[in-house]
Amino acid sequence: EEVLEVIPLFHPVWENAEPDDILFANTHATHGSFRDWAWLTAQVRLGLKRLGRQRVDQEVLRWAFARLGEA
């Protein structure tokens, strides 16, 4: 899928993300919209810091998804 090719190149936070996590994010939040990917990336970066993580996972993604209504 195109998302799996483009998103890891978009920002370093996605370089080492599991393909399943990228697809999970696309299905639940971004729906192929680059604008939404940009917003999610900003939230994921914040979530990584707040949760003390080095790598995107579904817990970080769910934390970011919870912020969807705050944009």
Side-chain angles (χ1 to χ4, degrees):
E1 189 170 327
E2 188 175 0
V3 168
L4 292 176
E5 292 178 30
V6 173
I7 295 306
L9 300 174
F10 165 60
H11 192 281
V13 77
W14 301 110
E15 282 178 343
N16 297 318
E18 292 291 330
D20 287 344
D21 291 334
I22 293 173
L23 293 175
F24 180 78
N26 194 58
T27 299
H28 291 83
T30 60
H31 312 289
S33 166
F34 199 70
R35 181 178 185 172
D36 291 340
W37 273 106
W39 181 88
L40 181 62
T41 299
Q43 299 309 311
V44 163
R45 291 182 68 216
L46 183 59
L48 288 169
K49 285 183 184 179
R50 293 214 175 148
L51 297 172
R53 301 290 175 83
Q54 298 296 316
R55 188 173 176 185
V56 176
D57 60 25
Q58 287 195 16
E59 185 177 350
V60 172
L61 290 171
R62 290 179 195 281
W63 182 92
F65 297 165
R67 300 176 56 87
L68 278 170
E70 297 177 20

